[in-house]
Amino acid sequence: MRVLCTLTLSVFSVICSSLKVKASNPPNIIIMLMDDMGWGDLGVFGQPSKETPNLDAMAAQGMLLPNFYTANPLCSPSRAALLTGRLPVRNGFYTTNGHARNAYTPQEIVGGISKDEILLPQLLKKRGYISKIVGKWHLGHRPQYLPLRNGFDQWFGAPNCHFGPYNSSVRPNIPVYNNTEMVGRYYEEFKINKKTGESNLTQIYLQEAFDFILEQHASQQPFFLYWAPDATHAPVYASKSFLGQSQRGRYGDAVMELDDSIGRILSLLRSLHIENDTFVFFTSDNGAAVMSGPNESGSNGPFLCGKETTFEGGMREPAIVWWPGHIKEGSVSYELASVMDLYPTSLALAGISPPDDRTLDGLDLTPVLLWGRQLDKLMPIFFYRGNELMAVRLGQYKAHYWTWSNSWEEFKAGINFCPGQEVPGVTTHNQTEHTMQPLIFHLGRDPGEKFPLSVLSNEYQDALGRISSVVEQHQKSLVPAAPQLNMCDLAVMNWAPEGCEKLGKCLKAPKSEPWKCDWPH
Amino acid sequence: MRVLCTLTLSVFSVICSSLKVKASNPPNIIIMLMDDMGWGDLGVFGQPSKETPNLDAMAAQGMLLPNFYTANPLCSPSRAALLTGRLPVRNGFYTTNGHARNAYTPQEIVGGISKDEILLPQLLKKRGYISKIVGKWHLGHRPQYLPLRNGFDQWFGAPNCHFGPYNSSVRPNIPVYNNTEMVGRYYEEFKINKKTGESNLTQIYLQEAFDFILEQHASQQPFFLYWAPDATHAPVYASKSFLGQSQRGRYGDAVMELDDSIGRILSLLRSLHIENDTFVFFTSDNGAAVMSGPNESGSNGPFLCGKETTFEGGMREPAIVWWPGHIKEGSVSYELASVMDLYPTSLALAGISPPDDRTLDGLDLTPVLLWGRQLDKLMPIFFYRGNELMAVRLGQYKAHYWTWSNSWEEFKAGINFCPGQEVPGVTTHNQTEHTMQPLIFHLGRDPGEKFPLSVLSNEYQDALGRISSVVEQHQKSLVPAAPQLNMCDLAVMNWAPEGCEKLGKCLKAPKSEPWKCDWPH
């Protein structure tokens, strides 16, 4: 229908336009992915400073998913999982350089998203979707890994984290791209004042979202907007008008600006009368980075530890779905769900069959979201570090096969992944194996993972039996992809991104000397 | 006006009734006080199991107070403070038997609420209020201390906690009173099945509230209902139809039944068309009793420790105010407020002057609640154990002069007031003095009290200066009352409460042998 429309002349456009509203045309899809924002950072999830009126209203107008998870407690693998619908161990976004190590894509990483993966926007194209990513990519920064080579039609943002500023002779600052060409670098054209925390990047990302939505609306194209701002990732930043506005410092200021931006995006959809045609999903890439201390990190609410760990604080995410007229206002679903479900769910909304040549780890959530149903079977949530299955949740039970917060060396140096929390035998500083007798928690009664069930109890034995069979099935059929995050090389850093010549911002790369990346946790 | 009405004959009653709605007649007042329910136990305050739809709706229709405190981390002193508007150290509900010890009213306690105190219902009588307490009293169980001798017109409930069952020859079970006479005892006429957790007590307390509201409505009397159910205090209980309904076991079942009851009470007010004439305040007596483990205790959300401690988990309380037509729907006030404010606030609503012969620790919150104003000055919150000022909050800053979770002896015996939490130098197992250099936290950035400010920072020095002057002023003018909770005696237990003869349930008291009560924490 949409293809037909684009072929017709203007005389038919009114008809097509009215059909679009009435008929089963696929909805626009917006995924809003926050960076290091914790489950407990939203008012509706219990943040005492209650500084997210727009997100709280979004929940009141849509559905809250309190049992929603990421696929990995770190940014790059989590984002790769979202866009492929597959666990990092299946899509290659992991390392085998050490046992149970988290890995991501710093600018010395050689690898990136494998050409064998099919990303969500590649499939959405089949139904005429135009796709844009705004903000952080993080699936590899070398040319072949960038968004426009992997299904997106447009991009405004950066390939890596906004760490810096760097001395260009040693390490380049991270480039900001507009589609295929860099338009500047962080700390150079795109300022972040690390002393004051001031940066207008969220406003730029908001404007990019606005422009894209308006443009697609005008052209009657269904769109996929992947809105991935990074203001809540250290170094945390906010625009001048938001700095000092929250009760919890710079981090809260960043949250307030993001909340405000989300409110504006939803308002725009209403103003354009496309709120009934636009499915919006809000979540975050991993738990709050509590190791960064109170000034630069958020809250994981009642959960244990945070980012980098496979405790609930590392992987339970805030999640809200909003689609007026389709999703029941103020509803709550307790279904276990994950960021990987967004792939098959988006395909289902678009009326596209998922690829049949590979295992997807996500499930189509439309029955849950649209009709408030429960899924037919209990879906497990798998918690990995590297290619090690650390823990599994099934129903209310979570079994830990390995526990590790971070190493004694790091801990003694003041790096603490669980500040203020210590559960003996659980928040271990050695990698501790429990595969013969996993620690099992009932997350309903004990969301903070503080009280392991007694191994002698019937409840333990019963839960273990059910989880074991799920794990056995999972591991029997698992074919790990080649790990993409093993090799590093200073030569691959962002020295001379496409477009640098026009700007006179090309830097000279050093000689290639690859090494096995060191992943300390 | 009301007195006039009661004197007129029925021919005038319609006029009086219509005047009541229009004019400045004082509103009915309902205070709903939960027992050991934590800040994090409500959906609106972040409980992951989201099992309080009625309380969440109450917040959406009223005002949320995320910075609301009790006056003591333990039940009896907290309840005495609510009804007197005064800190326990001022109203006598404390002990001097040991340094910085929490004390309450077990049935061997000799003392109770002092006759020198003026309780809220005594003053409300001046404007014709009829007052009823439903549920737990806890201000002393000897005859002179009971509710009907202290301003209440009606009572259905018990004087002490529902511990038991006891062997009557050693220790009597706790009596349940209807007004001045006992009508049975817990575990005898009023069943609590400790194995299954079943008890219909909340339903009885709901019915008592209903009957009272209907009766006062029919007689056009303004009323004060102090609804104090105790289902969330260990041993936790729920009615059969709620058992097994929550995701978090028996404790969650109890919460669901209380939430359901609260929904029914608010619905009754609407059905009677008196929702605009009835001020309703919901809160809890102290933090969740996290030392009781996951089956018998609730959640303090992101806060440190729980009941018995002067960390936030012990004293920050869930709080919602509801008064349709008077309080702005879905509003939030960040004002620091406490359970002691309910006394002057209720008096202000009733148009009664507070007593001028004594210090009140509460403030009239009507400007905050009704007009969304901020109070003129920053009100401090004082955190006591016994007569020791452990900590003070002023604005976002909280200074700890003493820290103590519980003793090493208890801790080694498996009693843990901060399970899963450990903040070095803060959650101390020795009473640790910091009076020369208090630990100071910024509760906005760090609600979990994990990161003390550096004493070298300007922020620390500035906060300390302001807090010190507030503390100096407080201590200079403080006149402690005689402590009521020092003496114990088996002879004073509930052997033969009034009404026992009729029921044939009098027990023989042992000889009086008073001793200084032992308060271990």
Side-chain angles (χ1 to χ4, degrees):
Chain A
M1 175 59 71
R2 189 161 306 280
V3 175
L4 271 177
C5 283
T6 58
L7 295 175
T8 59
L9 294 173
S10 62
V11 65
F12 293 112
S13 69
V14 175
I15 300 165
C16 287
S17 167
S18 68
L19 278 177
K20 175 177 181 288
V21 176
K22 276 192 236 149
S24 62
N25 278 329
N28 306 311
I29 296 168
I30 301 180
I31 296 177
M32 298 170 161
L33 187 75
M34 303 300 109
D35 204 337
D36 287 4
M37 191 182 280
W39 192 93
D41 276 325
L42 277 60
V44 75
F45 286 118
Q47 175 56 33
S49 53
K50 298 277 173 199
E51 65 208 355
T52 56
N54 293 290
L55 284 163
D56 298 352
M58 184 182 176
Q61 296 158 17
M63 182 184 276
L64 205 61
L65 296 166
N67 289 309
F68 191 83
Y69 288 88
T70 182
N72 195 270
L74 203 59
C75 39
S76 298
S78 159
R79 288 159 196 258
L82 187 158
L83 289 172
T84 61
R86 286 148 59 82
L87 281 167
V89 69
R90 259 193 256 273
N91 68 32
F93 256 62
Y94 71 101
T95 182
T96 52
N97 285 1
H99 179 249
R101 301 301 167 114
N102 299 317
Y104 72 111
T105 55
Q107 58 172 331
E108 56 267 42
I109 199 80
V110 174
I113 189 68
S114 162
K115 65 178 173 15
D116 297 333
E117 293 300 311
I118 306 173
L119 273 65
L120 179 58
Q122 291 173 314
L123 291 172
L124 290 175
K125 263 199 200 359
K126 291 187 186 178
R127 287 294 299 273
Y129 278 77
I130 304 293
S131 298
K132 176 164 192 162
I133 162 171
V134 173
K136 184 169 169 181
W137 171 240
H138 234 202
L139 265 58
H141 60 282
R142 295 173 65 204
Q144 65 270 37
Y145 300 128
L146 292 178
L148 270 61
R149 300 277 193 96
N150 286 278
F152 283 96
D153 301 297
Q154 300 181 31
W155 178 31
F156 189 95
N160 311 81
C161 285
H162 54 280
F163 295 132
Y166 299 118
N167 172 339
S168 305
S169 64
V170 180
R171 200 174 182 87
N173 277 318
I174 303 297
V176 174
Y177 281 79
N178 186 14
N179 297 323
T180 55
E181 296 195 349
M182 75 175 275
V183 287
R185 294 184 191 266
Y186 284 141
Y187 303 96
E188 297 174 18
E189 290 74 18
F190 295 89
K191 307 287 185 203
I192 302 171
N193 185 326
K194 284 178 80 174
K195 200 172 145 74
T196 65
E198 184 180 341
S199 173
N200 65 348
L201 280 164
T202 299
Q203 293 304 314
I204 295 176
Y205 294 150
L206 173 62
Q207 192 57 50
E208 287 289 327
F210 262 57
D211 292 348
F212 178 66
I213 293 168
L214 288 167
E215 191 181 304
Q216 301 322 308
H217 176 64
S219 69
Q220 294 289 320
Q221 288 285 109
F223 64 81
F224 168 46
L225 170 61
Y226 175 43
W227 194 65
D230 58 2
T232 43
H233 187 295
V236 167
Y237 61 79
S239 298
K240 195 167 187 180
S241 62
F242 287 91
L243 282 175
Q245 296 303 304
S246 85
Q247 295 175 32
R248 51 177 179 148
R250 193 173 293 179
Y251 184 88
D253 300 342
V255 170
M256 287 180 79
E257 184 169 12
L258 291 167
D259 177 75
D260 179 79
S261 299
I262 289 161
R264 287 173 194 271
I265 291 172
L266 300 185
S267 288
L268 176 65
L269 299 176
R270 288 197 190 273
S271 305
L272 297 174
H273 305 296
I274 56 170
E275 74 273 25
N276 297 323
D277 307 323
T278 309
F279 172 91
V280 186
F281 199 99
F282 169 91
T283 189
S284 179
D285 65 344
N286 47 246
V290 289
M291 76 290 269
S292 300
N295 298 321
E296 294 272 15
S297 83
S299 163
N300 295 313
F303 299 124
L304 189 62
C305 305
K307 179 175 177 177
E308 303 271 10
T309 77
T310 47
F311 300 111
E312 291 296 291
M315 291 187 58
R316 186 97 69 114
E317 302 304 327
I320 303 171
V321 212
W322 184 93
W323 190 12
H326 300 269
I327 288 172
K328 195 179 163 202
E329 284 190 10
S331 54
V332 175
S333 170
Y334 301 105
E335 205 70 36
L336 301 196
S338 95
V339 77
M340 295 175 291
D341 299 332
L342 296 178
Y343 185 97
T345 303
S346 299
L347 294 180
L349 292 171
I352 299 166
S353 300
D356 56 7
D357 63 343
R358 62 196 62 213
T359 302
L360 289 186
D361 293 288
L363 266 195
D364 170 13
L365 292 178
T366 53
V368 174
L369 308 181
L370 304 186
W371 305 296
R373 293 202 195 127
Q374 292 196 329
L375 294 175
D376 293 338
K377 58 173 207 162
L378 281 181
M379 276 301 292
I381 301 291
F382 297 104
F383 300 72
Y384 275 88
R385 266 170 109 148
N387 60 350
E388 184 59 80
L389 181 64
M390 305 286 286
V392 177
R393 177 174 180 181
L394 186 70
Q396 293 288 3
Y397 295 98
K398 180 171 172 184
H400 289 269
Y401 296 99
W402 287 86
T403 52
W404 194 34
S405 57
N406 62 341
S407 69
W408 280 115
E409 293 69 27
E410 283 188 333
F411 184 68
K412 284 177 189 157
I415 301 169
N416 187 351
F417 286 2
C418 314
Q421 297 178 314
E422 190 184 318
V423 183
V426 178
T427 53
T428 57
H429 291 291
N430 292 316
Q431 294 192 351
T432 306
E433 187 168 4
H434 310 273
T435 51
M436 298 302 287
Q437 194 173 74
L439 301 175
I440 300 184
F441 297 90
H442 184 287
L443 293 181
R445 297 195 300 271
D446 177 23
E449 295 167 290
K450 292 173 181 170
F451 304 99
L453 298 183
S454 160
V455 296
L456 302 174
S457 65
N458 290 338
E459 188 181 9
Y460 178 96
Q461 293 301 334
D462 183 52
L464 180 60
R466 282 182 293 129
I467 293 174
S468 298
S469 84
V470 164
V471 169
E472 196 183 335
Q473 202 180 344
H474 170 71
Q475 292 185 321
K476 209 162 57 185
S477 65
L478 181 74
V479 182
Q484 293 293 324
L485 307 180
N486 278 358
M487 297 308 297
C488 286
D489 187 346
L490 293 181
V492 304
M493 297 201 293
N494 295 288
W495 301 105
E498 203 173 328
C500 69
E501 300 84 353
K502 286 187 207 161
L503 301 173
K505 295 193 75 80
C506 302
L507 300 169
K508 189 174 168 344
K511 197 168 139 265
S512 172
E513 285 180 9
W515 77 93
K516 273 192 169 181
C517 317
D518 177 40
W519 302 114
H521 33 254
Chain B
M1 176 56 73
R2 187 161 307 279
V3 175
L4 271 179
C5 283
T6 59
L7 295 176
T8 60
L9 295 171
S10 63
V11 65
F12 293 113
S13 70
V14 175
I15 300 164
C16 287
S17 166
S18 69
L19 277 178
K20 177 177 183 288
V21 176
K22 276 192 234 144
S24 64
N25 279 327
N28 306 310
I29 297 168
I30 301 181
I31 296 177
M32 298 170 163
L33 186 75
M34 302 301 107
D35 203 339
D36 286 4
M37 193 182 279
W39 192 93
D41 276 325
L42 276 62
V44 74
F45 285 118
Q47 174 57 34
S49 54
K50 298 279 173 197
E51 66 211 353
T52 57
N54 293 289
L55 284 162
D56 298 352
M58 184 182 175
Q61 296 157 17
M63 182 185 277
L64 205 61
L65 296 166
N67 289 310
F68 192 83
Y69 288 88
T70 183
N72 194 269
L74 203 60
C75 37
S76 299
S78 158
R79 287 158 196 257
L82 186 158
L83 289 172
T84 61
R86 285 149 59 83
L87 281 166
V89 70
R90 260 195 253 273
N91 67 31
F93 256 62
Y94 71 101
T95 182
T96 53
N97 287 358
H99 179 248
R101 301 301 166 115
N102 299 318
Y104 72 111
T105 54
Q107 56 172 333
E108 57 267 42
I109 199 82
V110 173
I113 188 70
S114 162
K115 64 177 173 20
D116 297 334
E117 292 301 311
I118 306 173
L119 272 65
L120 179 57
Q122 291 173 314
L123 291 173
L124 289 176
K125 262 197 204 356
K126 292 188 186 178
R127 285 296 298 272
Y129 278 77
I130 304 294
S131 298
K132 176 164 193 161
I133 162 171
V134 174
K136 185 169 169 179
W137 171 239
H138 234 201
L139 264 58
H141 60 282
R142 295 173 67 203
Q144 65 271 36
Y145 300 130
L146 292 179
L148 270 61
R149 300 275 193 97
N150 286 279
F152 282 97
D153 301 296
Q154 300 181 31
W155 180 29
F156 189 96
N160 310 82
C161 285
H162 55 281
F163 296 133
Y166 299 119
N167 173 339
S168 306
S169 64
V170 179
R171 200 174 183 86
N173 277 319
I174 302 298
V176 175
Y177 281 78
N178 186 15
N179 297 324
T180 55
E181 297 196 346
M182 74 175 275
V183 287
R185 293 184 191 267
Y186 284 141
Y187 303 97
E188 298 175 18
E189 290 74 17
F190 295 90
K191 308 287 185 202
I192 302 170
N193 185 326
K194 285 177 80 173
K195 201 172 143 72
T196 64
E198 185 181 341
S199 173
N200 65 348
L201 281 164
T202 299
Q203 293 305 313
I204 295 175
Y205 295 149
L206 173 61
Q207 192 58 48
E208 288 289 327
F210 263 56
D211 292 348
F212 178 67
I213 293 168
L214 288 167
E215 190 183 305
Q216 301 322 308
H217 177 64
S219 69
Q220 294 290 321
Q221 290 284 111
F223 65 81
F224 168 45
L225 171 62
Y226 176 42
W227 194 66
D230 58 2
T232 44
H233 187 296
V236 167
Y237 61 79
S239 297
K240 196 166 184 181
S241 62
F242 286 91
L243 282 175
Q245 295 303 305
S246 85
Q247 294 173 33
R248 49 177 180 146
R250 194 172 294 180
Y251 184 88
D253 301 341
V255 171
M256 287 180 79
E257 185 169 12
L258 291 166
D259 176 74
D260 179 78
S261 300
I262 289 161
R264 286 173 194 272
I265 292 172
L266 300 185
S267 288
L268 175 65
L269 300 175
R270 288 197 190 273
S271 305
L272 297 175
H273 306 295
I274 56 170
E275 75 273 26
N276 296 324
D277 307 323
T278 309
F279 173 91
V280 186
F281 199 99
F282 169 92
T283 189
S284 179
D285 65 345
N286 47 246
V290 289
M291 76 291 268
S292 301
N295 298 319
E296 296 271 14
S297 83
S299 163
N300 295 314
F303 299 125
L304 190 61
C305 305
K307 179 175 176 177
E308 303 272 9
T309 77
T310 47
F311 300 111
E312 291 295 291
M315 292 189 55
R316 184 96 70 113
E317 302 304 327
I320 303 170
V321 212
W322 185 93
W323 189 13
H326 300 268
I327 288 172
K328 195 180 164 202
E329 285 190 9
S331 53
V332 176
S333 169
Y334 301 105
E335 204 70 36
L336 301 197
S338 94
V339 77
M340 295 175 291
D341 299 333
L342 296 179
Y343 184 98
T345 302
S346 298
L347 294 180
L349 292 171
I352 300 166
S353 300
D356 56 7
D357 64 342
R358 62 196 60 213
T359 302
L360 289 186
D361 293 288
L363 265 196
D364 171 13
L365 292 178
T366 54
V368 174
L369 308 181
L370 304 186
W371 305 297
R373 293 204 195 125
Q374 292 194 331
L375 294 175
D376 292 339
K377 60 174 208 160
L378 281 181
M379 276 301 291
I381 301 291
F382 297 104
F383 301 71
Y384 275 89
R385 268 169 107 148
N387 59 351
E388 183 60 81
L389 181 65
M390 305 286 288
V392 177
R393 178 173 179 182
L394 186 70
Q396 293 288 3
Y397 295 98
K398 180 171 172 184
H400 289 268
Y401 297 99
W402 287 87
T403 51
W404 194 34
S405 57
N406 62 343
S407 69
W408 279 115
E409 293 70 26
E410 283 187 334
F411 184 67
K412 284 177 189 157
I415 300 169
N416 187 351
F417 286 2
C418 314
Q421 296 179 317
E422 190 183 321
V423 184
V426 179
T427 52
T428 57
H429 292 291
N430 293 314
Q431 292 191 353
T432 306
E433 186 168 5
H434 311 273
T435 52
M436 297 302 287
Q437 194 174 73
L439 301 175
I440 301 185
F441 297 91
H442 185 286
L443 293 182
R445 298 197 300 271
D446 178 24
E449 293 167 290
K450 292 172 182 171
F451 304 99
L453 298 183
S454 161
V455 296
L456 302 174
S457 65
N458 289 338
E459 188 180 9
Y460 178 97
Q461 293 302 332
D462 184 52
L464 180 60
R466 281 181 291 129
I467 293 173
S468 299
S469 85
V470 164
V471 169
E472 198 183 333
Q473 201 179 344
H474 170 71
Q475 293 185 322
K476 209 163 54 186
S477 66
L478 181 73
V479 182
Q484 294 292 324
L485 306 180
N486 277 358
M487 296 308 297
C488 286
D489 187 346
L490 295 181
V492 305
M493 297 203 292
N494 295 289
W495 302 105
E498 203 172 329
C500 70
E501 300 85 353
K502 285 187 208 162
L503 300 173
K505 295 192 76 80
C506 301
L507 299 169
K508 191 175 165 351
K511 196 168 138 268
S512 172
E513 285 181 8
W515 77 92
K516 274 192 168 181
C517 318
D518 177 41
W519 302 114
H521 34 255

